[in-house]
Amino acid sequence: MVKKLLRLFFIIYLFIAMPALADFSVSDWKYFKTIGVSRPGLQKLQLDKEAFSSLSKDLRDLRVIADNSEEVPYKIVIEEERQISDRFSFQLKILNNAYTAGPQLAPSQNGQQPTVLGFQQFIVDFGPRLETPTHNYIEIHTTERNFQKQVEISGSDDGENWQLIKSDGYIYDYTDTRVNFHAQNTVIHYPLSTFQFLRVRIFSNTPFGVNGAQVYKFVKEEAKETTFDVRITQENDIKTGYTNITLDLGQDGLPTSELQLFTNDTNFDRPLFLSGFGSDPSKIPQEAVGLGNGYIFRYNTFAPRGENLSIPYSESSFRYIMVSIFNGDDKPLEFTGAKVKGILRSIVFEAQEGKSYRLYYGNVNARRAIYDIERRFPYINVSSASSAQLGAQKDNSSFEKPKIPISERYSFLLPMALILVSIFLLFLVYRFMKHVR
């Protein structure tokens, strides 16, 4: 009797608390798009803005369906940047790290007259070896703060005869301890080289502290990005010294990770903070989420010269990106436009002859699909895939709004079941203790 009662309570608890898993059902999916396939075989399908507007952030709620009934395994591909970095295991020698006072001529740029400056110079020696490895990046180690410096790099095989490799290198640091802000870039890219010696000159009116350097080979396959149109609004707050720029992507769901600002102003450097928020009507006011910080500058003087108006940030799917630029007591910059970039998402699947395909999405209760193709994917030659095409979004006429789980329709059932189970267990304990006595 006791065992039967326990079994009954357990079944009731599972019925109330545990959701059931089910196979694909057309009525669960709100939208679909037809997939145009030119020939059978491996297919690569790029998701579009319309689909992103109704997909969940993790893309769990999409399915590829053949003949409106058969679920087709697929793999989501994030076509992000691939990096191959070779940081050499052997010790590099840093030689003759010293400052030479002016007058020296910094390299001229864009037809401008060269500037009289001194320079900090050091030499990197790979050491004698049968073959010097290829290299194309140098990272300068320094504890200096708040600087913008132009850098020249030359190469040599004997340490005496030098060939100019790069004349327009640029390093910078912006640090403000009052607001715990720090942005720095001391990495310089130059053409692939095999020189045994590198001569680095950092042009400066005063000695510049160099603690060391790391030279390495860095090859990357660029991410396949797409650019999204944005509408910008700018507000200048004279009291706080901030310019707030709001970028409106027009919809939630688009994966973005970099923005670029456009301005005609020159000779400035400003720190900035990024945040994002969505357009969910159930959240008023919208909650902003920090996406990172950065540093923009443009110098058009003799030295230094250079600019950086692109800011990478943590990938988000917010509709709005807020850029807060600190002007201090300087005149606010006037921005003429902006671009926002994101990394493409594609679906790879196998199409068969004579079958029609659809992409279904928009199911709030969907779980992430798990297919064997995930394990086989590293061995699949995606470059041979045909390009499938998405049609326009259509409402699924068979869609039925998801039923509210019984535990939500009758919220009192689960607590009541737990209370009854607890009472029953206490009763069993009482019976047991009474029997022992």
Side-chain angles (χ1 to χ4, degrees):
M1 179 66 180
V2 172
K3 290 184 178 180
K4 290 182 179 179
L5 287 173
L6 283 173
R7 191 179 298 115
L8 177 62
F9 275 110
F10 183 69
I11 292 172
I12 293 173
Y13 177 78
L14 287 179
F15 175 74
I16 295 173
M18 301 295 289
L21 298 178
D23 294 333
F24 175 82
S25 175
V26 174
S27 61
D28 293 334
W29 304 82
K30 192 171 184 180
Y31 306 106
F32 73 88
K33 286 174 174 280
T34 57
I35 301 176
V37 175
S38 59
R39 60 181 179 181
L42 196 64
Q43 307 293 320
K44 190 175 183 181
L45 176 68
Q46 182 181 321
L47 296 176
D48 57 18
K49 290 177 62 175
E50 193 174 43
F52 275 117
S53 66
S54 301
L55 280 165
S56 63
K57 293 180 181 180
D58 59 3
L59 306 183
R60 70 179 185 277
D61 57 333
L62 59 82
R63 297 292 187 271
V64 177
I65 303 299
D67 294 338
N68 217 30
S69 60
E70 178 187 349
E71 189 168 338
V72 179
Y74 65 87
K75 164 71 175 174
I76 296 175
V77 179
I78 303 175
E79 306 199 46
E80 56 192 352
E81 178 181 272
R82 293 180 59 199
Q83 302 176 349
I84 303 173
S85 180
D86 186 5
R87 293 180 180 266
F88 310 123
S89 58
F90 52 85
Q91 186 68 33
L92 299 174
K93 294 181 181 179
I94 307 298
L95 307 174
N96 303 333
N97 183 7
Y99 180 73
T100 301
Q104 301 290 336
L105 297 182
S108 62
Q109 296 189 21
N110 300 330
Q112 298 285 349
Q113 292 296 321
T115 306
V116 178
L117 285 177
F119 59 82
Q120 187 78 30
Q121 176 176 294
F122 63 92
I123 295 174
V124 178
D125 180 6
F126 283 83
R129 57 192 67 253
L130 293 177
E131 184 179 350
T132 301
T134 54
H135 48 86
N136 63 342
Y137 273 79
I138 183 168
E139 181 179 358
I140 300 171
H141 299 163
T142 179
T143 57
E144 299 279 357
R145 293 290 179 265
N146 294 312
F147 61 83
Q148 301 91 31
K149 303 293 181 184
Q150 190 172 333
V151 180
E152 175 191 276
I153 301 175
S154 300
S156 173
D157 289 322
D158 57 13
E160 295 182 1
N161 300 296
W162 298 94
Q163 299 180 45
L164 182 65
I165 300 176
K166 190 177 184 68
S167 63
D168 58 351
Y170 197 82
I171 58 175
Y172 68 85
D173 178 277
Y174 186 93
T175 301
D176 189 340
T177 56
R178 296 170 301 176
V179 292
N180 195 30
F181 182 89
H182 179 64
Q184 183 187 80
N185 185 12
T186 60
V187 177
I188 301 171
H189 170 247
Y190 53 89
L192 276 171
S193 304
T194 58
F195 291 112
Q196 179 182 336
F197 301 93
L198 288 179
R199 185 181 69 188
V200 181
R201 286 181 174 177
I202 304 170
F203 291 93
S204 176
N205 285 319
T206 58
F208 184 84
V210 174
N211 303 328
Q214 174 70 53
V215 180
Y216 54 97
K217 177 183 177 182
F218 186 84
V219 180
K220 64 181 180 180
E221 180 181 316
E222 296 292 341
K224 294 184 179 179
E225 296 178 323
T226 185
T227 300
F228 301 110
D229 296 328
V230 295
R231 183 169 57 89
I232 74 168
T233 56
Q234 176 175 340
E235 296 180 357
N236 300 318
D237 191 332
I238 305 300
K239 292 183 179 180
T240 63
Y242 276 91
T243 291
N244 294 312
I245 302 173
T246 303
L247 310 181
D248 182 3
L249 286 151
Q251 66 179 67
D252 290 311
L254 299 177
T256 66
S257 55
E258 183 179 348
L259 64 87
Q260 182 178 8
L261 299 172
F262 298 97
T263 178
N264 295 321
D265 293 326
T266 59
N267 300 324
F268 63 85
D269 55 87
R270 309 283 166 89
L272 57 82
F273 303 88
L274 300 176
S275 57
F277 55 95
S279 56
D280 186 348
S282 67
K283 296 181 179 180
I284 299 177
Q286 299 294 324
E287 297 177 2
V289 177
L291 299 177
N293 54 38
Y295 177 69
I296 57 173
F297 63 86
R298 174 183 285 156
Y299 283 108
N300 198 24
T301 56
F302 290 144
R305 295 178 63 86
E307 70 174 36
N308 175 47
L309 296 174
S310 296
I311 308 298
Y313 55 87
S314 302
E315 187 174 75
S316 82
S317 57
F318 295 116
R319 172 175 175 172
Y320 299 100
I321 305 295
M322 174 77 77
V323 187
S324 299
I325 303 170
F326 183 63
N327 303 307
D329 294 322
D330 287 312
K331 180 182 177 181
L333 305 173
E334 291 299 326
F335 292 93
T336 58
K339 288 182 180 178
V340 176
K341 297 180 180 180
I343 297 175
L344 295 176
R345 264 68 167 173
S346 298
I347 293 175
V348 175
F349 68 97
E350 191 82 21
Q352 296 180 17
E353 184 78 47
K355 291 189 176 182
S356 60
Y357 293 87
R358 287 182 176 182
L359 180 73
Y360 280 89
Y361 56 99
N363 180 354
V364 294
N365 294 323
R367 59 179 178 83
R368 179 178 175 271
I370 301 175
Y371 303 114
D372 290 342
I373 192 174
E374 292 275 352
R375 292 181 289 275
R376 294 188 289 109
F377 196 74
Y379 310 102
I380 296 176
N381 182 15
V382 180
S383 61
S384 65
S386 301
S387 295
Q389 303 297 321
L390 274 180
Q393 176 174 287
K394 296 181 179 180
D395 293 331
N396 179 13
S397 59
S398 302
F399 174 69
E400 297 178 359
K401 289 185 178 181
K403 296 179 180 179
I404 302 175
I406 189 171
S407 58
E408 295 183 19
R409 281 183 286 166
Y410 305 101
S411 58
F412 62 89
L413 284 180
L414 181 57
M416 180 177 292
L418 292 174
I419 292 172
L420 291 175
V421 169
S422 300
I423 293 174
F424 179 70
L425 291 175
L426 287 173
F427 172 72
L428 292 180
V429 171
Y430 170 76
R431 288 276 307 269
F432 175 76
M433 296 298 294
K434 187 176 181 181
H435 180 72
V436 170
R437 291 179 183 178

